[in-house]
Amino acid sequence: MRYHLTTFGCQMNAHDSERMKGVLEDIGYRPAAERDDADLIVFNTCTIRGSADERFLGNLGEAKRVKGERPDTVVAIGGCWAQAQKDAVFEQFPFVDIAFGPGEVSRLGELVARERLDALGAFSFDGEFSGSLPARRERAHQAWVQISVGCNCVCAYCIVPTVRGRERSRPPADIVGEVERLAADGVREVTLLGQNVNSYGRDLRADGVRTSFGEILRAVSAVRGIARVRYTSPHPKDMKEDVVAAMADCPEVCRHLHLPAQSGSTRILKAMRRTYSRERYLDLVARLRDALPDLSLTTDLIVGFPGETDEDFAETLSLVDACEYDGAYTFIYSERPGTEAAERLVDDVPDAVKRERIAALVDRVQDMGRRRAQRFVGADHEVLVEGPSRTAPDRIRGRLSQNIAVNFRGTAPPGALVDVHIDGATSMTLSGTQSEVAVLA
Ligand code: SAH
Ligand code: SF4
Ligand code: F3S
C-alpha cells in the first residue's frame, strides 16, 4: 500500500507530518511519488489565513479527480483546516473518507485501518506528544522537538487557539529524553516547537512540576552531541530575564530569535490584544541586544488590521528600522471566521491600501536584511553543514547560528560544524569558502 502526503502551514504541521509518515510506515505503508499512484492520499492542512485555505482546496480538487478514477483510493484530511471545518467537512466534500484534528495524529493508523467504514471523523486536540510516536525525519542531523501544544493567548485575529486548543506542556524529563535519543541517532541541531514556546511550563506547576522555558533551554543544551538549539515561536510578553540569561549562558542556543511583533503601533497592538506596547517591545529588543550582541532578529508583521491608519502603518515601518530586523514574514490581515476580530471589528482597510502597505513593508524589510547581512562579510563564521547547494552543484549549503543560509566552497559532510570565510552577501544568503578541515565534534 502506498500513501501520498501533502503538508501545509507552519513547522508544527511539518513536524506532525513527520509523525504521520512514521505512523503510516509503521503499519506497512510506503510513500508514493504522485497522488495518482497512492492508495491513501493525506493532507495535513493549515487555516491561518484565507490564502492557506485556498491553497489546500486547490489540491483537494486533484484528490477528488483521483478518487473519481480509482474509487478505492482513501482520502484523509488532518490538521488545522480539518479541525476548523469539523462540522462541515463530510457534507461539503463527500469524497473525503477520514478527517482528523491536529491532536489525533496518534490515531491515524487506527483510522486508516477502519477506513472501509463510513466516513469517520476524529476531532480533538488532546492527543499524545511526539516523543512517543515514530517519526520520519527529513534530515539526519536536524530535528524538531515539540515541547508544548496549543495557545492560551487571545490575539484578536488568530484562529490557532480555536484549532489547537489550550496550551499543554510536555514534562521536562520527556523532552530531555527525546533529545538524548535524537542525539544518539546523530542529530546535532534541535528546534524546540510550541505555539507560544516560551510560556512553557505554566500548566505543569498545577501538577507540582516546577520548571520554566529557561530551564528547558539549559537542559537541552547540556545534552551530549547537541551543538545547536533553536526555538520558535516565542511571545514577547513571555520573554523573561531567565530566558535571556539562558541564551547568554549557553553557546549551544543559537544567536537567532524570531520575535513576532505584528505591528509597530501601540493602538493596533492593543486592538490585537498582544498585551505589550511598542515601547515595551523596543525595551525588550534593547535588552536582547545588550545581552546578545551577535543576535539576529526576525519577526512577523501584519498590515491592514481593522482600523489601521496611515500613521499606524508608518509606525510598523519605523519599527523595522528601530529593531534592525534581519528578516520578517509579512502578512496581509485575513479575517478568520470565529475570531474576535471577525466578530467585533470591521475589516475596513481597502484591498488596494493593504497591497500598497505590504509592498512598502516588504521593500523596507529587504533593504534592512541586505544591510544587516553585510556584517558577516570579511570574517570567519561557524556553519552547520546541511548538504549540497540547491543552486550550485559545486557548493555546499549550511547555516550560521544566526539562521542565515551560506553557500560555500568546501568538502565538509552534512552534520559537520566548520568555519567558513564569508566573502559575499545577497539579501538572504551568504557565500564563502571553508577555512579549515571539518571537525565532527
Ligand atoms: N504562534 C505563533 C505563530 C502564529 S501564526 C506566534 O504567535 O508567533 C504565524 C503568523 O501568522 C503570526 O505571527 C501572524 O503574523 C500571522 N497571522 C496569524 N493570523 C493571521 C491573520 N488572521 N491574518 C494575517 N496574518 C495572520
Ligand atoms: Fe495566535 Fe497569538 Fe497564539 Fe500566536 S500567540 S498562536 S498569534 S493567538
Ligand atoms: Fe496553520 Fe495550524 Fe500552523 S493554522 S500556521 S498549521 S498551527
Side-chain angles (χ1 to χ4, degrees), residues 7-14 16 44-49 52-53 79-81 102 158-161 163-164 195 336:
T7 308
F8 303 88
C10 64
Q11 301 186 51
M12 285 280 184
N13 259 22
D16 285 347
N44 189 11
T45 60
C46 172
T47 191
I48 195 78
R49 288 169 288 275
D53 287 2
C80 296
W81 180 90
C158 187
I159 193 76
V160 170
V163 291
R164 290 258 173 183
Q195 286 304 336
R336 307 315 287 143

Side-chain angles (χ1 to χ4, degrees), residues 314 317-318 320-321 359-369 371:
L317 281 179
S318 73
V320 174
D321 297 336
L361 184 59
V362 165
D363 273 355
R364 185 73 65 106
V365 165
Q366 283 178 347
D367 282 352
M368 183 58 77
R371 210 169 344 138

Side-chain angles (χ1 to χ4, degrees), residues 109-413:
E110 172 200 335
L111 293 171
V112 169
R114 283 170 53 195
E115 120 278 307
R116 297 288 168 236
L117 303 179
D118 273 343
L120 302 165
F123 294 104
S124 87
F125 18 70
D126 292 329
E128 288 167 49
F129 274 111
S130 53
S132 52
L133 289 174
R136 246 214 49 218
R137 291 198 312 275
E138 294 291 324
R139 289 187 183 150
H141 306 286
Q142 290 166 312
W144 285 301
V145 176
Q146 197 174 20
I147 70 164
S148 64
V149 291
C151 182
N152 289 354
C153 293
V154 290
C155 302
Y157 50 82
C158 187
I159 193 76
V160 170
T162 315
V163 291
R164 290 258 173 183
R166 296 201 46 88
E167 186 174 294
R168 280 139 293 138
S169 303
R170 191 174 169 196
D174 279 17
I175 297 170
V176 175
E178 189 185 350
V179 174
E180 285 170 348
R181 280 194 301 279
L182 290 166
D185 196 32
V187 167
R188 318 284 330 270
E189 175 181 303
V190 290
T191 303
L192 309 179
L193 290 181
Q195 286 304 336
N196 181 356
V197 73
N198 56 339
S199 81
Y200 171 85
R202 300 256 158 81
D203 52 323
L204 295 177
R205 259 166 251 174
D207 307 332
V209 183
R210 294 198 69 82
T211 184
S212 69
F213 182 63
E215 283 168 51
I216 289 293
L217 279 181
R218 289 177 194 273
V220 170
S221 298
V223 172
R224 232 188 115 109
I226 296 298
R228 286 185 173 182
V229 178
R230 301 185 184 279
Y231 61 94
T232 199
S233 285
H235 193 299
K237 79 174 166 58
D238 295 308
M239 206 61 206
K240 299 279 154 62
E241 270 322 308
D242 72 307
V243 181
V244 182
M247 287 184 83
D249 289 347
C250 303
E252 294 83 4
V253 180
C254 287
R255 276 16 188 175
H256 169 233
L257 194 64
H258 184 70
L259 191 67
Q262 313 300 0
S263 170
S265 152
T266 296
R267 209 177 65 81
I268 294 296
L269 287 167
K270 197 161 184 195
M272 286 176 162
R273 295 197 193 275
R274 287 293 288 179
T275 74
Y276 52 84
S277 62
R278 175 189 177 94
E279 288 66 36
R280 264 189 56 202
Y281 185 90
L282 288 173
D283 261 11
L284 171 58
V285 170
R287 274 192 286 127
L288 286 163
R289 296 266 183 231
D290 218 34
L292 304 156
D294 49 355
L295 187 72
S296 113
L297 193 66
T298 58
T299 198
D300 290 344
L301 296 165
I302 298 175
V303 303
F305 187 79
E308 187 186 69
T309 62
D310 286 342
E311 290 72 39
D312 293 319
F313 175 64
E315 294 206 81
T316 296
L317 281 179
S318 73
L319 190 78
V320 174
D321 297 336
C323 295
E324 301 195 297
Y325 293 121
D326 290 86
Y329 294 109
T330 51
F331 306 106
I332 291 183
Y333 170 70
S334 167
E335 190 174 85
R336 307 315 287 143
T339 58
E340 188 200 341
E343 306 284 307
R344 296 197 23 216
L345 304 172
V346 183
D347 185 4
D348 57 357
V349 179
D351 276 351
V353 175
K354 285 177 176 163
R355 280 198 299 272
E356 264 168 43
R357 286 182 188 167
I358 194 123
L361 184 59
V362 165
D363 273 355
R364 185 73 65 106
V365 165
Q366 283 178 347
D367 282 352
M368 183 58 77
R370 255 191 298 273
R371 210 169 344 138
R372 291 278 296 164
Q374 295 300 329
R375 76 188 188 280
F376 297 108
V377 176
D380 282 19
H381 294 277
E382 192 181 68
V383 170
L384 179 67
V385 178
E386 294 180 350
S389 157
R390 291 196 190 98
T391 45
D394 59 329
R395 300 276 178 121
I396 298 174
R397 174 174 48 92
R399 213 160 266 280
L400 300 186
S401 168
Q402 284 85 354
N403 204 34
I404 297 177
V406 185
N407 282 316
F408 64 100
R409 264 170 268 122
T411 53

